[in-house]
Amino acid sequence: MTPKPILKMALGFTVLAILCGTLEAVLYGGRLNEEGVVQESLFLPLTFIFAAMAVTAVVFAILRVFLK
């Protein structure tokens, strides 16, 4: 696999991370309940998961170029 498809995949994961982060901010916005606990949705963990996958894909693409 060449680095180009891996970088496209990283771009897709980055777009998904930005989308999930934006949805979390717009729909939930860090609201607190009566006990002062932050109410969050599944979008916040998905943001971090997609961001980690994007970083991992970029690292693999870089390694693919240098270890060829």
Side-chain angles (χ1 to χ4, degrees), residues 15-34:
V15 168
L16 286 172
I18 291 170
L19 177 68
C20 287
T22 303
L23 286 173
E24 172 70 29
V26 169
L27 297 178
Y28 294 92
R31 287 188 240 159
L32 301 175
N33 65 6
E34 300 82 35

Side-chain angles (χ1 to χ4, degrees), residues 8-58:
K8 286 181 183 179
M9 190 169 47
L11 179 64
F13 287 139
T14 303
V15 168
L16 286 172
I18 291 170
L19 177 68
C20 287
T22 303
L23 286 173
E24 172 70 29
V26 169
L27 297 178
Y28 294 92
R31 287 188 240 159
L32 301 175
N33 65 6
E34 300 82 35
E35 291 97 30
V37 178
V38 176
Q39 297 297 306
E40 63 182 50
S41 67
L42 186 61
F43 291 123
L44 186 61
L46 282 176
T47 300
F48 291 111
I49 290 169
F50 286 136
M53 291 170 72
V55 169
T56 304
V58 169

